[in-house]
Amino acid sequence: MSFLEYIKENKARYEDELISFLRIPSVSTEPSHDPETRRCAEFVRDELSRIGMDNVAIYETARHPVVFGQRLDAGEGAHTVLFYGHYDVQPVDPLNLWTNPPFEPTIVGDQIYARGASDDKGQVFLQLKALEALLKTEGKLPVNVKVIIEGEEEIGSPNLEPFLEKYREMLSCDTVLVSDTPMYDYGMPSLCYGLRGLCYMELEVTGPNRDLHSGSYGGVVENPINALSRIISKLKGEDGHILIDGFYDSVRSVEPEERKELARLPFDEAARKADLEVGTFTGEQDYSPLERIWARPTLDANGIWGGFAGSGAKTVLPSKAGAKVSMRLVPDQTPGEIAKLFEAYVKKITPPGVIVKVTDLHGGLPAVTPIDSAGVRAARRALKEVFGREPFLTREGGSIPIVNSFLKILEAPTVLMGFTMPDQNAHSPNEKMYLPGFHDGVRATALFYKELAKEAK
Ligand code: BES
Ligand code: ZN
């Protein structure tokens, strides 16, 4: 049986096994989920063994473990690919907005709904199933393949760079393959060559040392919620320009050539607005929406709290208020430098009567990957074979912090070949994966390895 026949025959089983993977609530940021996150690593380990990988093992880190496996059948002269993915997922809240429980995967039509369905368990699983199909039908892989699946991507991969340093030899490769980005749209395969970075900060504003009756003190004591709101409103102008001193100093401008390429991509602004039910897109008007999402930095409050938010009214002047604020970065900004500028600016604009504590939660570097590598050439041919058209070359606004470290530590370029759709509700309630995209991804990945074997090393 050919590997393509094998993939066709095993579709139903592949979906059943994906469901088992999606059932495990591996929410990396929540310590209460640590045992399940561990169980998820064990699931991945067992799956790597089942499909026929060698040297399969769990590597401990300071928090969530990394799972490794490899097949080096192709020998020293052949390409070596390192596939990277993550088994951890984002928190599920707000839980009440889910139609089905997030860890009880539910198939409706062509979509499977569950937390992690697309980000990134569905994509990791399709990769493993491509390896399975090749191994079970051919007994070996066309190129050497190493696999690392980590459990901390959604919290900024704090322990993965030390892992790469420590196991540099074991992980040495010519190409890194990542499936953690979406396709440009349904039926539009994509290779992504750029990701934004991230700088994630927390603010805590303290006014009086305890909550006060707002009648007795309102008018003389600064209210931390009001002060925090003023701080947030001064971070970004209405024109989308970020007001932090020095913020744009190391922003690499988008070259005219690239702007031309991006302008060629089909982008139905009206349809996107209608889908989100927003009347208008905001932001820097000198840049197109795709440029604003992919190649320009931005700043967003991700959460805000303080005072009384229960039902009814309570006249209170609270002691504290807080917010989480993240900034998406572009080359050549670095999270460390931006965190310093952010803190200095916040201190400068903090009104009298309150104190502010600024904490750097985590960050990741932006990345731009080459589009002329052997991996990209092989991926282009594989995607064309499966989808019947040339892939779109895209950038993305999201972040995969470790991509930069692959280049720095392993000196290998990354191919970002993803199979989810832009409407898959990643990080949001009712996350889903388009099942035909899953199966296309299995085929395209198996073909990718075949095509890579034809490329000179
Ligand atoms: N799969 C995403 C990255 C992504 C999102 C790529 C959207 C392309 C488009 C990844 O799992 C993710 O969510 N990363 C985090 C990283 C952060 C926590 C450091 C992100 O972008 O918020
Ligand atoms: Zn994610």
Side-chain angles (χ1 to χ4, degrees):
M1 192 192 301
S2 75
F3 69 90
L4 290 173
E5 283 162 352
Y6 182 94
I7 290 168
K8 213 175 189 176
E9 284 208 353
N10 287 281
K11 257 175 120 167
R13 179 174 59 82
Y14 279 9
E15 289 182 14
D16 287 346
E17 291 173 2
L18 171 63
I19 287 173
S20 308
F21 190 23
L22 294 174
R23 277 189 200 287
I24 309 172
S26 48
V27 183
S28 50
T29 195
E30 284 174 17
S32 63
H33 279 276
D34 282 3
E36 285 125 330
T37 306
R38 170 91 208 173
R39 186 153 59 83
C40 198
E42 290 165 0
F43 179 98
V44 174
R45 176 197 62 196
D46 296 346
E47 177 65 16
L48 284 172
S49 297
R50 255 196 311 268
I51 66 174
M53 301 301 282
D54 298 328
N55 301 79
V56 174
I58 286 183
Y59 286 78
E60 302 302 333
T61 75
R63 184 97 194 271
H64 302 301
V66 179
V67 191
F68 175 82
Q70 66 179 17
R71 273 299 283 245
L72 306 180
D73 313 297
E76 290 222 336
H79 278 276
T80 300
V81 174
L82 175 70
F83 169 68
Y84 159 83
H86 62 98
Y87 63 81
D88 64 321
V89 299
Q90 286 275 331
V92 297
D93 58 289
L95 188 57
N96 60 320
L97 295 184
W98 286 76
T99 308
N100 301 293
F103 297 110
E104 289 175 25
T106 309
I107 297 180
V108 181
D110 274 342
Q111 307 273 3
I112 183 164
Y113 288 82
R115 170 56 87 230
S118 57
D119 184 8
D120 179 33
K121 285 178 173 173
Q123 303 231 59
V124 163
F125 210 64
L126 73 85
Q127 289 285 334
L128 302 187
K129 291 295 141 184
L131 296 173
E132 174 186 320
L134 289 166
L135 285 168
K136 299 292 177 197
T137 57
E138 303 187 352
K140 58 183 172 51
L141 299 175
V143 293
N144 300 312
V145 177
K146 300 174 178 179
V147 173
I148 49 169
I149 318 285
E150 72 149 324
E152 300 187 334
E153 196 274 346
E154 298 292 5
I155 52 173
S157 302
N159 293 302
L160 197 59
E161 195 167 295
F163 178 85
L164 297 187
E165 300 271 15
K166 185 165 173 195
Y167 297 104
R168 190 198 301 255
E169 280 285 292
M170 176 177 91
L171 302 173
S172 71
C173 59
D174 309 297
T175 300
V176 179
L177 175 63
V178 176
S179 259
D180 197 18
T181 47
M183 304 210 318
Y184 190 64
D185 210 339
Y186 286 82
M188 297 185 181
S190 323
L191 288 167
C192 173
Y193 64 90
L195 293 161
R196 289 197 288 192
L198 190 72
C199 173
Y200 202 118
M201 308 295 288
E202 184 166 315
L203 296 176
E204 186 190 65
V205 176
T206 306
N209 62 2
R210 57 190 185 277
D211 284 5
L212 303 173
H213 190 295
S214 68
S216 309
Y217 290 98
V220 292
V221 172
E222 182 57 275
N223 180 320
I225 300 179
N226 294 29
L228 176 63
S229 312
R230 289 212 294 283
I231 293 171
I232 293 176
S233 71
K234 286 182 181 164
L235 295 173
K236 185 160 91 169
E238 282 171 24
D239 57 0
H241 193 80
I242 292 148
L243 301 169
I244 298 168
D245 301 316
F247 185 83
Y248 290 93
D249 286 358
S250 40
V251 168
R252 204 190 293 171
S253 50
V254 201
E255 294 301 325
E257 245 334 282
E258 186 174 16
R259 295 190 82 169
K260 252 195 250 158
E261 288 297 325
L262 297 185
R264 272 198 212 118
L265 291 169
F267 185 81
D268 188 341
E269 190 170 332
R272 300 256 184 156
K273 288 180 194 157
D275 174 45
L276 302 172
E277 297 180 43
V278 296
T280 181
F281 278 166
T282 59
E284 297 175 297
Q285 296 305 308
D286 297 344
Y287 295 89
S288 72
L290 277 185
E291 288 168 347
R292 263 135 68 196
I293 301 169
W294 290 354
R296 294 288 297 167
T298 190
L299 178 151
D300 282 286
N302 302 105
I304 184 162
W305 62 92
F308 177 72
S311 58
K314 178 186 181 194
T315 44
V316 64
L317 197 166
S319 164
K320 282 186 192 298
K324 302 206 188 249
V325 175
S326 67
M327 289 154 281
R328 294 283 170 182
L329 313 180
V330 298
D332 298 304
Q333 293 176 300
T334 65
E337 160 215 356
I338 294 298
K340 276 195 214 122
L341 296 175
F342 179 90
E343 179 164 5
Y345 179 74
V346 166
K347 294 258 156 85
K348 186 178 100 179
I349 62 172
T350 297
V354 295
I355 53 162
V356 62
K357 187 171 139 208
V358 180
T359 311
D360 182 354
L361 291 187
H362 65 80
L365 285 164
V368 174
T369 63
I371 51 173
D372 55 358
S373 63
V376 167
R377 283 194 296 276
R380 274 178 189 255
R381 293 198 296 273
L383 290 170
K384 183 157 185 214
E385 175 76 26
V386 169
F387 292 90
R389 66 192 296 184
E390 280 289 335
F392 291 80
L393 287 176
T394 59
R395 288 174 74 151
E396 281 296 339
S399 313
I400 308 175
I402 203 65
V403 168
N404 210 285
S405 318
F406 288 137
L407 201 57
K408 195 176 71 191
I409 300 169
L410 303 180
E411 294 171 25
T414 297
V415 177
L416 294 157
M417 179 170 70
F419 299 96
T420 62
M421 303 303 150
D423 67 348
Q424 306 264 265
N425 297 331
H427 296 205
S428 168
N430 303 316
E431 179 176 350
K432 59 187 173 178
M433 171 127 200
Y434 181 57
L435 285 166
F438 174 88
H439 297 294
D440 286 342
V442 178
R443 281 188 293 144
T445 303
L447 284 165
F448 163 77
Y449 288 121
K450 287 284 188 185
E451 289 296 330
L452 187 60
K454 297 179 193 162
E455 290 280 334
K457 198 180 142 180

